[in-house]
Amino acid sequence: MLEQTAVILSELHEQTDRLVLDQYGNYVIQHVLEHGRMEEKSKIVSHIRGKVLPLSQHKFARLALPEFISLVLHWLCLMLHCLCFLLYQQCSGEMCL
């Protein structure tokens, strides 16, 4: 079963640019962005990154963008939280600005 999934996901990543533009393929991309493993999500994000404006103007691709944006914002919030935590630890709880 895992072997079959790996083959399907490999094909998905090879076809991400085409799938995101497809009437039904964009739903596959949305599903992986919402329910996939972090590794799968990262690969899709790397395909979409830098193409948001043209994709937002495409009839079908724009449907996958809210899931993409939500995921990226979530990652940014996690990174910011980690950064704040590290700064807090470095300052030993005191204001160091």
Side-chain angles (χ1 to χ4, degrees), residues 9-31:
L9 288 169
S10 174
E11 186 67 26
L12 178 138
H13 293 304
E14 288 178 20
Q15 301 296 324
T16 297
D17 292 331
R18 199 173 116 223
L19 285 170
V20 77
L21 298 173
D22 185 76
Q23 181 176 2
Y24 302 107
N26 77 81
Y27 292 108
V28 174
I29 298 300
Q30 287 179 59
H31 181 82

Side-chain angles (χ1 to χ4, degrees), residues 46-60:
S46 70
H47 278 282
I48 295 176
R49 188 182 57 225
K51 302 174 189 170
V52 173
L53 181 59
L55 292 177
S56 71
Q57 298 167 341
H58 188 274
K59 183 177 183 179
F60 303 119

Side-chain angles (χ1 to χ4, degrees), residues 15 41 43 76-77 82 86:
Q15 301 296 324
K41 293 177 183 184
K43 288 180 182 179
L76 287 172
C77 287
C82 289
L86 291 172

